[in-house]
Structure formats: structure tokens, C-alpha cells
Amino acid sequence: MEKLSGSAKPTRIRYRMLALVFVNVVINYLDRANLSVAASALGKDLTLSSAELGWIFSAFGWTYALLQIPGGLIADRFGPRVLYAFCLITWSISTVCQGFARGFASLFSLRLATGAFEAPSYPINNRIVTSWFPDNERASSIALYVSGQFIGLAFLTPVLTAIQYYAGWKGLFVTTGLVGLIWGVVWYLFYRDPLDHPGVNAAELDHIEQGGGLFRQKEKNAGQGQVWQWRNLKQVFSSRTLWGVYIGQFSVNATLWFFLTWFPTYLVKYRGLDFIKSGYLASVPFLAACAGLLLSGFISDNLVKKGWSVGTARKAPIIAGLLLSVSIIGANYTNDTALIIFFLALAFFGSGMALISWVFVSILSPKHLIGLTGGVFNFMGNLASIVVPIVIGYLAKEGDFKPALVFIGALGLVGASSYIFLVGKIERVVTRDSQPTLIRE
């Protein structure tokens, strides 16, 4: 194991690990969004109403959101290598089984199972990035792995559409599930933590640790007691700053979950577009969201490197993005397909900009409770995965989708207001088991 530093040039193993996380995120979101592609045909075959479809769209979110806190605690206790492999394989099995659903109850139950097994994934992602990357590379690394959800959907939505066209919605679920099963084995074979990776040298470990990477945190936490304590949960729920980012994340995810659930149905059923054509048009907003996310991450990190305050460098792109997401309402005022896609893409571009918000988990959470804080953060944000699909289903049940887009736009404004008025000084939350680390705002 190459760990002698001297004047050795740092290795760049952290980017290989980030690439593995990127693929995990692509698969993660394929198995969330495959239902949206299948929805039109599936709804007809299973005779589902608009309201019932909204409930099925939300099923993933019930277990995914409610298990975020346990998922965060699990991420603090178990290594990413084994835990992520377990999650990938189990949620992929439930995805395959969705291809054999026979009605509302079975499909709803299987979507609940998928959400449950995916629950620890983003707390694990955040733990990996916090371990492998220094502070001044954190926002861009988060942007890169989160971009997997947009790049994957942008380029693979037409593929998913084609699979359904030729193999039916049953074949779509089976195919996407098998991909995840295979990748779960690949992840286990190739991922390692920083101190366990045979390719990383001491120079890279020094670069990570001196920059604020927390790969030794597991060692430091030894003997401090369990994180499964009510006082720790109370701590991450009692900070006004954390509540500001929780509310903001709900708003960001509101736009995201519209695109992950109702968007293809909106194009086909409410805008009258051809199914195959809608698959290609659906990729445009996802590409826009990816561009917004990457732009925001690299701008934010560059501002930090140039000496800007952390508060300004991290919050400004998020606020700007949330304000841009309000532009989704513009689609209500045109019947031109190009303009509809423009307004939707602009809104998703803004939502993508705001998704670097995961960086606040790394810089605000107590050092020994990163997984728990990430779980609470993702729980609050993913309440949108429950609320938004159901509310849209009822708002659109009379055949008019305009109130639904107003609803999404209004939530973007709420999120921007939360970052402006609730998120104040950026400093790490302190518990009895952690020492204060002030970060200049």
C-alpha cells in the first residue's frame, strides 16, 4: 500500500471514487424515474385514475423520506462499501418486481420497498465526499455526483422511452432493475475508504485531511458512545440555520419531483405531444438542470478559493437558482412547444443551481453526526416526494395543469425566502461531543 509521502505528488484516487458514486446516482434516479416514463401505458393497463397515479408516484417518497434519519444513522455506523452494495442490490430487486405488478396495491407496495432500500444512499454519498474531499473541493464534487441524476436522465430518458415502446412497461422495469443488480457487485469490488484504498498515497491523504476531509472521523468517534441518542437528534432539529436549509431543500426537491413524476405525463396528456417525441423533449430540462448544477458548484468553490466568505459563496447560487425556478409558471402562458420547454428548462436550470445545498451538511453538521444530519436534511427535503405528486394529482384531476405549475413556482419562492431570512451565520453545530469550528460567513 503506497502511503509514504515525502515529496511525492498526491495521487488522485478520490476522483475515481467520485466516478463510482456518480454511476450509483445515475442508477438511483433511473429507478426513481422509470415509473414516470411508464405512467401513461401503465395507467391504462391497470386502469388508474389521475389521483391514484399521484399516490403511486408518491409511494417511493413515503418510505424514502421517513427512513432518511435511520438511513443517516446507519451511514454513520457502517462502511459505504458494504452498505451501498446492499442498497443497490435490494432496491434493484424491488424494481424488477415492479414489472410484474398487477394493480394499485402491488405497485404501491413495491414502490414503498424501492424507497426504503434507497433511503441511505444520499447520506452515504455525503459521507463519502466528506471523507474523500477537502472543503475547497466539496461543492464541485457534490455537483459532479449529483449531476448523475440529470445526465443519466437526460441521455437515458429517450432510451427508457424506446425500451418501453418495444418491450412494454414491464420490460422497462425488468431492464432497469437488472442494471442495478450488476452494478451493485461492481461497486463492492472497486470502492474503498481513503485509509483502506491500496492506490492512495500519503500525499493525497494529507491534502484531504489538511483541507478539512474527515476520513479519520470514525477513529476519533471510537469510545464517544453511540450516535443513536435522542439528544443528538434534538441537536440537529434545534438549529435555526439548519431549519433554513431544510425548508430550502424541500423547495428544491419540489421542482425535482415534478420532473421525476408528472413531467412526461404533462407533455403527453396535457400538452398533446407524441410519446416518442416527448422522450427526446424531456431530456432538454434535465440537461439544463445538469448545467445549472455544475455551474453553481464550480462557481461556489472558485469564490471560496478567491477568499469570498463561505456564506456568500455557498448561499448566493442557491438563492439565485430558487428564484429562477419560479419561471416554471411561464409555461402556463403559451401553447408553443418550444416556449413551454424553454420555461421548464429555465426552471430546472435554477433548481439544479440550488442542488449544491448538500454542501451545508458537510460544513454545518457536528463532525461525528454527518450521517445523521444528512439523513434529517434529506428527510425534510424528500417530504416533497410525498407531497408534490399527490397535490399535483388532485390539482390536475379536472384536466387543467396550470394550478400545479403555480404550486411548484410558489414553492421555489418559499425556498429562496428561507435562505435569505432563516440561514444566518455559517458555523458548525456544536454538541457536547464536538468542539466548535467557526466558519467565516
Side-chain angles (χ1 to χ4, degrees):
M1 188 179 297
E2 185 188 1
K3 293 285 190 327
L4 298 175
S5 59
S7 59
K9 183 178 180 181
T11 50
R12 298 170 66 85
I13 299 298
R14 62 191 183 279
Y15 295 108
R16 298 184 193 176
M17 299 302 100
L18 187 63
L20 294 176
V21 175
F22 174 91
V23 178
N24 288 356
V25 172
V26 171
I27 294 171
N28 186 305
Y29 272 80
L30 284 179
D31 290 335
R32 298 186 196 193
N34 50 13
L35 178 61
S36 70
V37 174
S40 294
L42 179 151
K44 291 178 182 178
D45 287 353
L46 302 183
T47 61
L48 301 173
S49 69
S50 174
E52 287 176 323
L53 198 55
W55 280 94
I56 288 175
F57 277 142
S58 79
F60 173 96
W62 285 96
T63 47
Y64 184 80
L66 293 175
L67 293 176
Q68 281 306 297
I69 296 172
L73 290 166
I74 291 169
D76 278 329
R77 288 177 59 85
F78 298 100
R81 183 188 180 202
V82 174
L83 182 58
Y84 226 142
F86 172 80
C87 291
L88 277 159
I89 290 169
T90 50
W91 92 55
S92 297
I93 290 172
S94 64
T95 299
V96 170
C97 291
Q98 287 169 52
F100 302 94
R102 295 187 175 183
F104 177 89
S106 59
L107 185 57
F108 189 86
S109 299
L110 288 166
R111 293 300 289 182
L112 288 174
T114 305
F117 291 125
E118 283 198 26
S121 57
Y122 262 69
I124 299 172
N125 292 344
N126 191 66
R127 186 170 183 84
I128 291 168
V129 169
T130 304
S131 298
W132 271 103
F133 287 86
D135 289 338
N136 64 2
E137 297 176 6
R138 196 77 48 80
S140 53
S141 61
I142 289 172
L144 283 168
Y145 83 68
V146 174
S147 71
Q149 67 194 49
F150 300 126
I151 293 175
L153 293 176
F155 289 102
L156 295 178
T157 294
V159 176
L160 296 179
T161 304
I163 292 173
Q164 178 177 318
Y165 184 79
Y166 292 105
W169 61 268
K170 296 177 184 289
L172 175 62
F173 285 120
V174 171
T175 302
T176 51
L178 289 176
V179 169
L181 283 170
I182 295 169
W183 182 255
V185 176
V186 174
W187 167 266
Y188 182 80
L189 292 175
F190 288 97
Y191 179 79
R192 298 292 187 279
D193 285 329
L195 292 174
D196 299 326
H197 200 289
V200 66
N201 65 7
E204 183 173 15
L205 292 178
D206 289 345
H207 171 73
I208 296 168
E209 187 169 29
Q210 290 170 11
L214 301 178
F215 59 82
R216 297 188 193 277
Q217 200 60 36
K218 185 175 180 180
E219 297 174 350
K220 293 177 182 178
N221 290 343
Q224 284 188 354
Q226 303 296 325
V227 297
W228 306 72
Q229 299 177 18
W230 284 109
R231 63 184 177 86
N232 289 332
L233 186 60
K234 180 181 178 181
Q235 188 70 52
V236 297
F237 268 115
S238 61
S239 165
R240 190 190 78 165
T241 297
L242 286 176
W243 268 103
V245 299
Y246 296 157
I247 294 170
Q249 191 67 3
F250 179 92
S251 300
V252 173
N253 281 355
T255 305
L256 173 63
W257 277 95
F258 160 69
F259 281 97
L260 290 179
T261 56
W262 282 101
F263 177 44
T265 302
Y266 168 69
L267 293 181
V268 174
K269 183 176 179 180
Y270 295 90
R271 288 298 188 172
L273 298 183
D274 174 78
F275 179 71
I276 294 295
K277 183 180 179 181
S278 72
Y280 289 98
L281 290 176
S283 69
V284 176
F286 286 106
L287 288 173
C290 180
L293 173 63
L294 294 175
L295 179 66
S296 181
F298 286 106
I299 287 176
S300 183
D301 274 350
N302 282 332
L303 291 177
V304 171
K305 291 174 184 178
K306 290 178 180 179
W308 287 55
S309 69
V310 171
T312 301
R314 301 310 194 197
K315 287 192 288 186
I318 295 173
I319 293 169
L322 283 164
L323 291 173
L324 269 179
S325 70
V326 179
S327 64
I328 196 170
I329 298 172
N332 284 341
Y333 298 96
T334 180
N335 290 318
D336 182 88
T337 300
L339 284 176
I340 291 169
I341 297 300
F342 168 78
F343 282 117
L344 296 176
L346 181 62
F348 214 10
F349 174 86
S351 181
M353 286 183 65
L355 272 172
I356 65 163
S357 49
W358 265 98
V359 75
F360 284 109
V361 176
S362 299
I363 64 178
L364 293 175
S365 62
K367 289 184 178 181
H368 66 300
L369 297 176
I370 291 170
L372 174 59
T373 309
V376 172
F377 174 83
N378 218 22
F379 162 72
M380 298 299 292
N382 276 284
L383 289 176
S385 67
I386 300 171
V387 174
V388 169
I390 294 174
V391 172
I392 290 177
Y394 282 101
L395 289 175
K397 68 179 181 179
E398 301 298 330
D400 184 4
F401 214 87
K402 290 180 180 179
L405 295 187
V406 172
F407 169 67
I408 299 299
L411 288 176
L413 190 58
V414 169
S417 299
S418 179
Y419 271 97
I420 293 169
F421 298 111
L422 287 182
V423 180
K425 181 179 290 187
I426 305 301
E427 65 181 345
R428 193 175 296 281
V429 174
V430 179
T431 70
R432 284 182 286 177
D433 298 323
S434 63
Q435 295 299 318
T437 302
L438 183 65
I439 299 178
R440 179 170 55 89
E441 183 181 17

